[in-house]
Amino acid sequence: MKPLRSFHVVLFIAALCLVAPSGAFAMSSGVMADGFLVPLATFSSDQGLDTVVGVTCLEGTGAVYWTFFSANGIPLESGSMDMTGMRLRGFSLAANAPLWPDMSGYLIFTYDDDGSLQPAETRETLAGNAILLWLDADDAAYIPCVPLIRTDYADTAIDLANLAATSLTGLTNGASAEATDYARYWIDPAYSAETELVIWTLNSAVGSGAAEMDNGEDGRCLVQLNLTNSRLNRLDAARLWNRPLDYIEGTVAISGLNTAHIIFSLTSSPLFDALQTFPANCSN
């Protein structure tokens, strides 16, 4: 991979996001809707880390409103992007929320013509693609964006400049509360492999959830999920409680979250040119 150590590359990657195709996985993506969710967003200036989002809007008028939430659903920063005469816009978390470095959270983007999303306003106009970008490591990872339709929002007029975590009441294009998700992991020390399980939940799942880990063959064991945040949790697969040391590659089956959710894995190794994203498969 060629060096990425330039702010101009952030703009290039954001532009690339605007046209990058979305993959098929246990959640729907790439669908035009009223809004979309970026389930993991963070930045760190001393590591050259940023979350960049390509925003596609078909309206040509109005604005796209965004809010950055903490892992516990606390609104930290918000703003809007004027879409008059525009169809494509790039977004950088580091540039738009500079007061929150090293904070893991999530983003919600919503289109509206006047900033007050009404119950009857149903549109198929907005979509996004997101990338977690490490300039210092010459690395990047795809972050799945989940479309949000109007019935995913609270059934009331919503002030998009003051969005709350509770403004989102559904996740039509995510996994259901009853789903079992099968997340891949690879943590072979011979290849310096690491895997992070990213779990985003619509409602609080603190203290809930069960997981069965396999070794890619016939081995099975129960492991414990340490979910400490109400919305976003990032778990090191190598540190799951009760994992046998020889379990270095396989699947973690996660169930019992009791709320709509999104799960994917981020896997890294010197063998890869870039961090790999593996959205979980699921059965409802």
Side-chain angles (χ1 to χ4, degrees):
M1 180 178 291
K2 295 181 180 180
L4 301 178
R5 306 171 195 276
S6 167
F7 180 72
H8 296 288
V9 178
V10 175
L11 301 180
F12 171 77
I13 293 293
L16 180 64
C17 287
L18 297 172
V19 297
S22 298
F25 39 90
M27 62 201 87
S28 300
S29 64
V31 176
M32 306 301 285
D34 286 279
F36 63 89
L37 164 73
V38 182
L40 171 61
T42 188
F43 76 94
S44 178
S45 57
D46 61 346
Q47 298 178 24
L49 176 66
D50 195 8
T51 302
V52 294
V53 184
V55 179
T56 302
C57 181
L58 302 183
E59 293 295 321
T61 60
V64 173
Y65 297 81
W66 60 269
T67 303
F68 177 50
F69 294 88
S70 75
N72 283 305
I74 299 171
L76 301 176
E77 196 78 50
S78 62
S80 64
M81 299 183 290
D82 183 12
M83 300 304 295
T84 302
M86 300 287 292
R87 177 166 286 189
L88 309 174
R89 292 290 296 264
F91 175 91
S92 160
L93 183 63
N96 285 279
L99 299 179
W100 303 102
D102 305 310
M103 175 72 73
S104 290
Y106 61 96
L107 285 159
I108 293 177
F109 291 82
T110 311
Y111 170 81
D112 197 63
D113 54 356
D114 61 6
S116 180
L117 184 64
Q118 301 298 318
E121 290 183 311
T122 299
R123 303 179 176 96
E124 297 178 355
T125 191
L126 193 67
N129 291 279
I131 287 180
L132 198 60
L133 178 66
W134 278 273
L135 292 177
D136 288 2
D138 298 336
D139 205 350
Y142 162 72
I143 301 298
C145 293
V146 183
L148 299 173
I149 63 175
R150 181 60 185 91
T151 53
D152 290 330
Y153 296 84
D155 187 20
T156 185
I158 298 174
D159 179 2
L160 294 174
N162 293 284
L163 201 67
T166 53
S167 299
L168 205 62
T169 58
L171 201 64
T172 302
N173 290 291
S176 71
E178 298 78 22
T180 297
D181 295 71
Y182 300 88
R184 295 286 299 169
Y185 75 92
W186 183 47
I187 50 177
D188 192 339
Y191 299 98
S192 300
E194 299 178 348
T195 296
E196 179 178 79
L197 305 179
V198 180
I199 302 174
W200 187 93
T201 54
L202 176 64
N203 299 306
S204 178
V206 172
S208 65
E212 181 184 77
M213 196 174 212
D214 69 46
N215 63 357
E217 297 177 352
D218 295 330
R220 301 284 190 279
C221 73
L222 295 178
V223 293
Q224 182 173 317
L225 301 179
N226 184 25
L227 303 181
T228 59
N229 299 318
S230 64
R231 293 300 188 274
L232 172 66
N233 286 274
R234 305 172 66 178
L235 307 179
D236 183 349
R239 295 180 177 272
L240 294 180
W241 181 84
N242 205 40
R243 177 189 71 87
L245 293 179
D246 59 348
Y247 276 45
I248 57 176
E249 180 179 5
T251 302
V252 182
I254 301 171
S255 61
L257 294 176
N258 300 317
T259 180
H261 58 273
I262 300 155
I263 299 176
F264 58 95
S265 303
L266 295 175
T267 297
S268 63
S269 167
L271 289 179
F272 300 151
D273 285 336
L275 192 66
Q276 303 297 304
T277 306
F278 298 98
N281 299 311
C282 80
S283 60
N284 291 309

